[in-house]
């Protein structure tokens, strides 16, 4: 053991299912204190995440020293694949092996239930976390980018609000295969209000554009999905949709979080006026048989 490293804490472990959403949100907020992008979790926001991401509260865990939370790991599951949806270690417990223990135990349990792989995302600009994940067997599979587009006036004429579930159905037909967890149609089908979906063009037409958005406080809104079916591509539908969404949101800037594979339509996004965000993520994978 490194003599400079404090002794590992004596921790107990409990399933996340035994905690209220408010308690879990507090644990996560403490775990992300002073993180690369600090995050404040709420009970309501956590509940909204659990449904579309397929979080399993019995596969997820909270680690405690007495009654004091030391760390939390949330595990999402689909079929034979698990994903570390969030993991945080409270400041007094960092550098003491808590994160490694949480990951090793999550991997062990995934193997025991017959999972074939485990996924996660981590900011490339967080080298300590990348090393931690590589140290327990994760490997980088691809880079995920986010984008932003400055505020621009537009015209919302012709924009029709649709059921977010209908957006997911179109995405299931039109999206590329093997997208990251947060972009997969399996995730999108769980989106509900305050998320909103829109169509530009006639219902049932092969030439149209579709979008899934979430308004946020501040100067930008989030674009979670934008698609143009193949027959309508390179005909300006994407640009018209983005401008219509900007008008709908009072001319706000548009932001895409860092979940887009770097080789997924970069030229299309550039033509729409999007530029990459300065921070990006790695998607990482652990093949559990190896």
């Amino acid at each position: 053991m490194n003599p400079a490293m404090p002794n590992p804490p004596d921790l107990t472990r409990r399933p996340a299912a035994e905690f209220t959403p408010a308690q879990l949100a507090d644990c996560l907020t403490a775990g992300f204190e002073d993180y690369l992008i600090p995050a404040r979790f709420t009970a309501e926001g956590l509940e909204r995440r659990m449904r579309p991401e397929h979080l399993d509260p019995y596969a997820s865990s909270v680690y405690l020293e007495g009654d004091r939370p030391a760390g939390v790991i949330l595990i999402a599951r689909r079929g034979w694949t698990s994903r570390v949806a969030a993991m945080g270690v409270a400041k007094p417990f960092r550098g003491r092996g808590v994160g490694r223990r949480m990951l090793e135990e999550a991997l062990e349990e995934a193997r025991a239930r017959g999972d074939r792989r485990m996924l996660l995302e981590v900011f490339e600009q967080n080298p300590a976390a990348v090393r931690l994940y590589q140290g327990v067997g994760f490997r980088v599979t691809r880079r995920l980018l986010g984008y932003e587009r400055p505020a621009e006036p537009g015209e919302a004429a012709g924009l029709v609000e649709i059921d977010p579930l209908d957006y997911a159905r179109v995405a299931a037909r039109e999206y590329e295969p093997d997208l990251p967890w947060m972009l997969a149609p399996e995730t999108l089908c769980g989106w509900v209000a305050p998320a909103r979906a829109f169509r530009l063009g006639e219902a049932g037409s092969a030439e149209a554009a579709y979008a899934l958005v979430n308004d946020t406080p501040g100067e930008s809104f989030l674009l979670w999905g934008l698609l143009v079916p193949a027959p309508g591509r390179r005909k300006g539908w994407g640009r018209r949709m983005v401008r219509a969404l900007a008008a709908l949101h009072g001319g706000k800037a548009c932001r895409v979080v860092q979940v887009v594979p770097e080789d997924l339509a970069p030229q299309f996004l550039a033509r729409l006026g999007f530029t990459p965000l300065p921070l990006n993520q790695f998607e990482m994978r652990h093949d559990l048989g190896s």
Side-chain angles (χ1 to χ4, degrees):
M1 178 181 295
N2 183 345
M5 179 181 291
N7 291 328
D10 184 15
L11 302 180
T12 58
R13 177 184 173 201
R14 291 169 55 190
E18 296 181 4
F19 295 78
T20 68
Q23 290 171 325
L24 283 178
D26 288 344
C27 292
L28 283 166
T29 298
F32 278 78
E33 185 180 358
D34 293 338
Y35 184 56
L36 188 63
I37 299 180
R40 178 164 295 279
F41 296 82
T42 66
E44 184 179 12
L46 188 58
E47 283 287 285
R48 288 201 188 115
R49 282 191 58 180
M50 292 185 73
R51 178 175 45 253
E53 293 188 43
H54 292 128
L55 292 173
D56 184 340
Y58 285 96
S60 306
S61 300
V62 176
Y63 289 73
L64 304 113
E65 183 181 61
D67 294 329
R68 185 167 64 152
V72 58
I73 183 168
L74 299 185
I75 302 296
R77 298 176 58 208
R78 290 182 188 144
W80 290 339
T81 302
S82 288
R83 169 176 170 262
V84 180
M87 188 181 87
V89 178
K91 284 184 68 174
F93 298 92
R94 293 174 188 168
R96 302 174 65 186
V98 176
R100 187 180 185 93
R101 175 182 166 183
M102 291 196 295
L103 288 166
E104 289 177 340
E105 292 182 355
L107 289 165
E108 180 181 353
E109 291 189 354
R111 290 190 186 94
R113 60 178 174 254
D115 288 354
R116 303 291 178 86
R117 65 198 66 84
M118 184 174 284
L119 305 174
L120 58 81
E121 302 89 37
V122 59
F123 280 103
E124 181 178 358
Q125 294 79 12
N126 187 355
V130 174
R131 287 194 299 270
L132 170 63
Y133 298 135
Q134 290 173 329
V136 296
F138 284 89
R139 59 183 175 85
V140 174
T141 54
R142 54 187 165 182
R143 181 178 282 109
L144 306 178
L145 304 184
Y147 294 87
E148 59 186 351
R149 182 179 186 272
E152 181 183 25
E155 174 57 58
L159 199 62
V160 177
E161 186 162 8
I162 63 173
D163 188 335
L165 184 57
D166 288 336
Y167 180 90
R169 288 171 174 147
V170 177
R173 296 195 304 267
E174 300 289 340
Y175 268 13
E176 299 288 332
D178 190 34
L179 287 174
W181 195 279
M182 293 300 293
L183 290 184
E186 295 91 340
T187 299
L188 302 181
C189 70
W191 280 74
V192 296
R196 303 174 71 189
F198 296 92
R199 184 189 72 245
L200 198 61
E202 295 297 325
S205 172
E207 293 195 11
Y210 299 84
L212 180 68
V213 301
N214 199 349
D215 199 6
T216 57
E219 299 179 353
S220 63
F221 67 94
L222 293 180
L223 178 64
W224 279 99
L226 173 66
L227 69 88
V228 177
R233 293 174 187 169
R234 295 189 176 275
K235 297 180 181 180
W237 284 104
R239 178 173 294 279
R240 291 199 292 273
M241 172 59 85
V242 171
R243 288 177 61 86
L245 292 172
L248 181 73
H249 291 88
K252 281 185 175 184
C254 180
R255 187 162 54 90
V256 179
V257 299
Q258 293 96 331
V259 294
V260 181
E262 64 179 334
D263 60 352
L264 181 64
Q267 295 177 340
F268 170 69
L269 290 166
R271 287 197 301 270
L272 297 185
F274 286 94
T275 56
L277 293 170
L279 301 179
N280 63 272
Q281 294 198 104
F282 283 146
E283 181 184 72
M284 303 186 76
R285 171 174 171 151
H286 194 304
D287 294 309
L288 295 171
S290 60

